[in-house]
């Protein structure tokens, strides 16, 4: 069996988690498009890569002229809403963002947005993705990259002396499992440098810790994500004699969820990078 490239399921709960994450991201940042991005009033073309449910574009459509062309791309259409329920200027379609870019998308967009692709990158090398994103831009077009820095993943108990052994064990177990598959996260903190190396002018690089107001909902969302990774990605691949085994992974998750009920938040940093393609 070929290795699964996406770490999550695409069922109703998974879509709910993406909606939840989207709205919390906007609550924390206060914007959909970063303020450094200048918006043309006529003929604007925007792409959202790895668009998931399409909600980023659906919200953005309310803020732009009706003649803006908004295109969403994802490797799977399973979480797209019906076309009849989306604004008429939005088109959602499938695309493998790591494969060679189709010619008709080269140099097409004024703005390209990408987000939450951290689990797609292997061996610390997002070069193929970055080249595709930049290739989609018109000269002087903007790239906005919203990403979670999973390398900054850490617990914050309301009581600093509160132990969290189940969290600690699951973090180590997931880290070992992911690293064996080439999934590590050091590159996320260097997105600005990686974009600059591809001749993009970096206009902004923000690192935003999860605010106190979001610690509870973000933790709930992260529990949903962790359970999904366990059940959809990790456990189905375990050998019969694996250690930890399936039961132990589930016990670690259940214990971590209980630690959260007792006053522990699971947090990480948000990363937002904006770049502009040279003329």
């Amino acid at each position: 069996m070929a290795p699964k490239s996406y770490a999550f399921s695409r069922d109703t709960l998974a879509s709910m988690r993406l909606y939840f994450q989207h709205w919390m991201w906007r609550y924390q940042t206060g914007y959909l498009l970063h303020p450094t991005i200048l918006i043309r009033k006529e003929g604007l073309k925007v792409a959202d890569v790895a668009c998931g449910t399409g909600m980023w574009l659906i919200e953005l459509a309310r803020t732009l002229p009706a003649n803006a062309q908004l295109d969403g791309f994802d490797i799977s259409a399973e979480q797209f809403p019906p076309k009849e329920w989306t604004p008429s200027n939005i088109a959602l379609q499938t695309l493998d963002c790591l494969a060679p870019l189709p010619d008709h998308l080269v140099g097409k967009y004024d703005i390209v947005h990408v987000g939450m692709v951290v689990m797609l990158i292997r061996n610390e090398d997002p070069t193929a993705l970055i080249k595709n994103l930049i290739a989609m831009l018109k000269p002087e077009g903007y790239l906005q990259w919203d990403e979670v820095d999973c390398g900054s993943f850490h617990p914050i108990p309301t009581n600093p002396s509160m132990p969290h052994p189940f969290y600690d064990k699951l973090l180590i177990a997931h880290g070992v499992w992911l690293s064996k598959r080439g999934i590590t996260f050091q590159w996320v903190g260097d997105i600005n440098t990686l974009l600059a190396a591809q001749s993009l002018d970096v206009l902004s690089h923000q690192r935003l810790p999860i605010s106190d107001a979001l610690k509870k909902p973000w933790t709930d969302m992260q529990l949903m994500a962790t359970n999904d990774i366990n059940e959809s990605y990790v456990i189905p691949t375990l050998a019969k004699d694996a250690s930890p085994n399936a039961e132990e992974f589930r016990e670690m998750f259940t214990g971590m969820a209980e630690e959260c009920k007792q006053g522990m938040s699971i947090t990480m940093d948000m990363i937002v990078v904006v770049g502009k393609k040279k003329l």
Side-chain angles (χ1 to χ4, degrees):
M1 180 184 295
K4 183 180 175 184
S5 61
Y6 186 61
F8 304 98
S9 61
R10 291 187 170 91
D11 60 12
T12 301
L13 283 176
S15 292
M16 288 173 62
R17 178 181 56 78
L18 292 182
Y19 290 130
F20 200 16
Q21 180 175 264
H22 164 78
W23 287 316
M24 284 191 289
W25 197 278
R26 180 166 52 79
Y27 180 95
Q28 173 99 349
T29 63
Y31 55 78
L32 290 168
L33 282 175
H34 192 276
T36 58
I37 296 176
L38 301 179
I39 300 174
R40 291 172 47 190
K41 293 184 178 180
E42 298 295 329
L44 184 70
K45 294 182 179 181
V46 181
D48 185 18
V49 176
C51 67
T53 64
M55 183 49 66
W56 187 85
L57 286 176
I58 292 169
E59 274 211 73
L60 186 67
R62 299 192 302 175
T63 71
L64 298 178
N67 65 358
Q69 178 181 334
L70 309 179
D71 295 336
F73 301 97
D74 201 280
I75 198 169
S76 170
E78 288 183 57
Q79 291 170 288
F80 292 173
K83 184 178 180 181
E84 293 79 3
W85 297 352
T86 59
S88 60
N89 60 338
I90 291 179
L92 303 178
Q93 50 209 293
T94 57
L95 177 75
D96 182 350
C97 62
L98 300 178
L101 189 68
D103 290 343
H104 71 278
L105 297 180
V106 174
K108 182 175 181 178
Y109 295 100
D110 301 287
I111 300 168
V112 173
H113 172 262
V114 65
M116 318 309 163
V117 293
V118 62
M119 299 292 282
L120 298 181
I121 302 303
R122 299 295 186 271
N123 304 314
E124 291 286 307
D125 187 10
T127 304
L129 173 61
I130 290 172
K131 287 184 175 180
N132 281 345
L133 297 173
I134 294 175
M136 295 173 75
L137 290 171
K138 296 177 181 178
E140 298 193 304
Y142 295 92
L143 171 63
Q144 178 176 318
W145 194 325
D146 299 334
E147 196 57 82
V148 287
D149 184 1
C150 294
S152 66
F153 201 82
H154 63 285
I156 302 180
T158 52
N159 179 356
S161 64
M162 172 188 164
H164 33 77
F166 289 101
Y167 168 89
D168 295 338
K169 288 189 288 187
L170 187 56
L171 183 69
I172 293 171
H174 274 178
V176 170
W177 191 93
L178 291 169
S179 65
K180 287 180 178 178
R181 287 152 181 83
I183 305 173
T184 52
F185 311 115
Q186 286 86 350
W187 65 273
V188 176
D190 295 326
I191 289 175
N192 58 320
T193 303
L194 294 166
L195 296 182
Q198 296 295 330
S199 299
L200 209 69
D201 288 333
V202 176
L203 306 181
S204 178
H205 177 211
Q206 293 179 283
R207 175 178 289 273
L208 305 170
I210 301 300
S211 65
D212 287 346
L214 287 182
K215 279 189 170 63
K216 178 62 167 67
W218 189 271
T219 296
D220 290 343
M221 182 274 295
Q222 195 58 52
L223 287 172
M224 293 172 69
T226 303
N227 190 51
D228 197 0
I229 290 174
N230 254 7
E231 298 295 335
S232 300
Y233 200 23
V234 177
I235 290 174
T237 69
L238 295 176
K240 291 182 179 180
D241 59 350
S243 179
N245 58 33
E247 181 180 356
E248 289 167 330
F249 268 105
R250 291 183 174 119
E251 286 176 352
M252 284 186 280
F253 173 76
T254 300
M256 183 179 74
E258 184 59 35
E259 290 167 349
C260 292
K261 286 183 181 179
Q262 294 172 10
M264 182 185 78
S265 70
I266 302 172
T267 187
M268 62 185 71
D269 293 344
M270 297 175 171
I271 302 290
V272 181
V273 182
V274 179
K276 186 175 183 181
K277 191 171 184 177
K278 297 181 187 297
L279 184 64

